[in-house]
Amino acid sequence: MKNNILTKVALASLLFSSCSVQQKTDKKIEKPSKGLETRIGELHFTHDFENGYPTDETVHLLFNEMDFQRATQAYIWATPYVSFLQWQYSFHHDLGLENGQIILHESYKDRVGGLTYNATTPYALTFIEVNEDPWIMEVPEGGVRGSMSNMWQIGLASFTEATKFLILGPETKLPEGDLSEYKIVRSNTNSVMTGLRLMSPDKAERMKVLDNYNIYPYSERENPHPRGYIETNEKPWMAAAPRGLEYFERLAEGINNNGPIHERDRFFMAMLKPLGIERGKDFNPSLYQKEILTEAAYVGEAMTKAIDFDGTDRLVDAFYSEGSAWEIATTSPPDQRRENSDALDGRAAWFYEAVTNDIAMHGMKNGGFGQVYLTSYKDADGDWLDGGQNYRLRLPSNPPAKAFWSITLYEVNTRTLLQNEMQKADLSSRQHLKVNMNGSIDLYFGPKAPKGFESNWIQTEEGRAWFPYFRFYSPGKEVVDRTWILPDIEKKSY
């Protein structure tokens, strides 16, 4: 079969260069007769490839493959969008979030539905629908780090200090009068996501900040009625994108409800139309469309897994240090743009496993402002990290981070906090960890607790893969200039 499949180079030569090749070599090129062997099967024509029409069977095969390929690429393209749409869907349907309300996530169980949540600091999160009226968001003083994004997860604003925002949708009218007290943000989607990390280790201080974090419509500015916050109360919810046909159901809902189609996405709209996804029309796929989309959702996710977990060489921003198994997790610029292209693979890799993206999350590039996120999927031997294996990460010294450092483990299945009997997925500088006599710190991950180092251990379980995030909050200069290098995770018998 290998000899029968035409490579792209050979096919291009056959189709476009046969005349020039014949003139140069004076040899007759053997052309396929009625059958052309390809990776999708044998293609047949009424004469030969150059002189014939494709047969009905070949036309059907080609359109089927075209629809499937376009659907798989649409999966990759839509990764940041469907991730946010599902997150918003779960907040509304599972937790009862109303417009302008804030969700508070504090406990381990509160957070288990969120993609690569930080397990150290509580979150105050919401989605605000701004398609009709502007909304005001008052961010108070008091040790916060937060950001605002549109539904494609493009950063609109980041904040670490008291700020009063006026948020508008793509078609919302800007109010008349003096607006100088506001920082004006216009989103090109009808919903925006905003989130705060409550940084203080003191709960009373965190709650004071939360009580002064106010969101309300501009029409109430003279007599505000903030919507307040609701607690998760350990209710189950899940922000990970759904699998199978439901992935495209969520995409179709977003296309219809979240504002104008953006210029960069118009070709994808053309690709999705034969598959039943079209702006202004209900999504009622035929049996053929359901079969194509269901399979494409799984293959598209598999492609995204490959990009995310083993695509370091394809990702411009992933490189950390020569020979290291660690990589920089934030593989997409906040605006998702590069000089001559958009970060298609970069944003798929980041948003498959994480949510939100602002400049403060790119500490390696911005000189150390904000955070640095490192991730790894393999151990020092180049083997995939696995829940049935015991590991050790030996930190040479206390990692340089002015606020704190942490390592958190996540499920490969959902990219959410690692599930275990301990209900513990992280180790950090805010915990009482055992330190070695020479100042190094040994961290352990595996199904078996290391004797004497139980405080430095996260329990994993056989049959499930996991991956870590190592976070530096306010990283030291040694992290940014890479004079302090994070060692690889090693297999360890104990």
Side-chain angles (χ1 to χ4, degrees):
M1 186 65 178
K2 182 178 179 181
N3 294 330
N4 291 330
I5 296 177
L6 294 173
T7 65
K8 290 183 179 179
V9 174
L11 183 57
S13 176
L14 176 64
L15 298 181
F16 304 115
S17 305
S18 58
C19 291
S20 61
V21 171
Q22 285 177 353
Q23 289 172 358
K24 290 179 181 179
T25 64
D26 200 29
K27 293 181 180 179
K28 183 177 180 182
I29 292 180
E30 293 295 328
K31 299 179 183 179
S33 55
K34 291 185 180 180
L36 178 66
E37 287 287 347
T38 73
R39 68 174 61 204
I40 66 170
E42 189 172 359
L43 307 181
H44 293 274
F45 305 86
T46 54
H47 297 288
D48 52 29
F49 179 79
E50 292 90 341
N51 298 303
Y53 295 105
T55 64
D56 290 345
E57 293 81 2
T58 292
V59 168
H60 174 77
L61 175 64
L62 290 170
F63 280 143
N64 183 275
E65 181 65 17
M66 187 186 303
D67 288 341
F68 178 72
Q69 288 187 17
R70 288 178 172 181
T72 60
Q73 297 310 297
Y75 182 102
I76 296 170
W77 156 77
T79 297
Y81 194 41
V82 175
S83 178
F84 252 22
L85 292 168
Q86 176 62 28
W87 193 7
Q88 182 183 37
Y89 178 90
S90 187
F91 267 13
H92 286 309
H93 287 77
D94 299 327
L95 301 181
L97 180 73
E98 296 182 4
N99 197 21
Q101 280 186 318
I102 300 160
I103 295 275
L104 175 63
H105 291 318
E106 279 199 300
S107 72
Y108 169 87
K109 286 190 175 180
D110 285 347
R111 306 169 200 234
V112 294
L115 270 65
T116 50
Y117 268 20
N118 169 356
T120 306
T121 57
Y123 286 94
L125 306 159
T126 191
F127 289 86
I128 310 172
E129 296 170 19
V130 291
N131 54 312
E132 294 181 356
D133 298 318
W135 280 66
I136 294 170
M137 184 175 77
E138 298 175 349
V139 179
E141 295 278 8
V144 298
R145 296 193 185 192
S147 66
M148 185 189 313
S149 306
N150 73 4
M151 292 301 287
W152 279 93
Q153 304 207 49
I154 295 175
L156 299 174
S158 60
F159 32 91
T160 57
E161 58 187 12
T163 312
K164 196 171 186 179
F165 289 96
L166 182 65
I167 311 168
L168 301 92
E171 299 171 323
T172 312
K173 290 183 179 180
L174 184 69
E176 297 179 355
D178 182 12
L179 302 176
S180 58
E181 64 179 304
Y182 303 106
K183 182 175 182 179
I184 299 173
V185 174
R186 183 178 288 279
S187 169
N188 58 4
T189 57
N190 286 338
S191 295
V192 299
M193 182 273 171
T194 71
L196 291 183
R197 298 183 192 90
L198 304 174
M199 296 293 290
S200 175
D202 182 77
K203 183 169 183 177
E205 290 184 16
R206 295 198 303 266
M207 296 309 294
K208 183 179 178 180
V209 171
L210 187 61
D211 289 337
N212 289 286
Y213 179 33
N214 298 319
I215 302 173
Y216 51 90
Y218 178 78
S219 58
E220 296 179 6
R221 63 193 181 280
E222 300 296 335
N223 186 24
H225 297 286
R227 274 42 178 179
Y229 68 91
I230 60 176
E231 297 184 68
T232 309
N233 292 323
E234 301 187 349
K235 292 179 182 177
W237 64 284
M238 178 53 64
R243 292 192 164 105
L245 185 63
E246 190 178 355
Y247 183 92
F248 288 101
E249 290 174 349
R250 198 69 69 244
L251 175 59
E253 291 168 5
I255 286 171
N256 269 318
N257 298 326
N258 232 306
I261 301 300
H262 304 157
E263 279 299 312
R264 71 171 187 187
D265 300 327
R266 292 174 66 86
F267 277 120
F268 278 98
M269 293 300 101
M271 293 181 185
L272 290 168
K273 185 175 179 179
L275 294 164
I277 300 176
E278 187 176 358
R279 178 64 183 265
K281 292 188 178 181
D282 292 337
F283 180 51
N284 294 306
S286 65
L287 179 60
Y288 165 79
Q289 291 167 333
K290 286 181 180 178
E291 290 177 349
I292 289 284
L293 291 171
T294 300
E295 184 179 4
Y298 285 100
V299 174
E301 183 176 359
M303 291 176 175
T304 306
K305 279 176 175 274
I307 295 168
D308 185 8
F309 301 140
D310 207 23
T312 307
D313 293 341
R314 290 172 172 254
L315 302 173
V316 175
D317 298 322
F319 177 79
Y320 170 55
S321 181
E322 192 67 39
S324 175
W326 292 95
E327 59 187 69
I328 299 170
T330 44
T331 53
S332 172
D335 63 359
Q336 302 176 15
R337 307 305 297 269
R338 302 202 186 279
E339 182 178 359
N340 297 309
S341 65
D342 280 3
L344 182 63
D345 285 353
R347 71 180 193 174
W350 173 242
F351 293 120
Y352 180 71
E353 68 179 31
V355 285
T356 75
N357 189 15
D358 68 89
I359 190 61
M361 301 168 83
H362 293 258
M364 281 296 200
K365 285 201 164 188
N366 64 29
F369 164 70
Q371 302 88 244
V372 166
Y373 299 148
L374 300 181
T375 187
S376 182
Y377 312 103
K378 295 181 179 181
D379 63 23
D381 297 325
D383 298 324
W384 295 110
L385 297 170
D386 189 82
Q389 173 69 48
N390 291 307
Y391 300 93
R392 181 187 68 186
L393 171 59
R394 171 163 286 176
L395 304 176
S397 62
N398 194 39
K402 296 173 186 176
F404 67 89
W405 62 263
S406 70
I407 184 168
T408 310
L409 271 52
Y410 301 98
E411 302 278 352
V412 165
N413 179 20
T414 56
R415 290 81 67 205
T416 58
L417 288 175
L418 186 79
Q419 304 288 293
N420 56 30
E421 294 176 359
M422 301 171 65
Q423 295 189 12
K424 179 181 179 180
D426 73 312
L427 299 167
S428 78
S429 57
R430 290 188 173 180
Q431 299 174 15
H432 296 292
L433 302 177
K434 186 172 182 177
V435 180
N436 300 323
M437 292 290 291
N438 64 359
S440 65
I441 305 172
D442 289 337
L443 308 179
Y444 294 89
F445 322 108
K448 183 180 177 182
K451 189 174 181 180
F453 284 85
E454 290 82 359
S455 62
N456 294 29
W457 170 61
I458 299 175
Q459 180 188 32
T460 65
E461 296 180 5
E462 189 172 0
R464 303 205 315 275
W466 58 270
F467 66 95
Y469 267 24
F470 201 105
R471 291 175 168 90
F472 301 82
Y473 276 84
S474 299
K477 182 177 183 296
E478 310 96 309
V479 176
V480 178
D481 63 18
R482 294 169 172 83
T483 55
W484 193 98
I485 295 292
L486 184 63
D488 290 339
I489 296 171
E490 301 174 303
K491 297 183 185 73
K492 183 68 175 177
S493 298
Y494 50 82

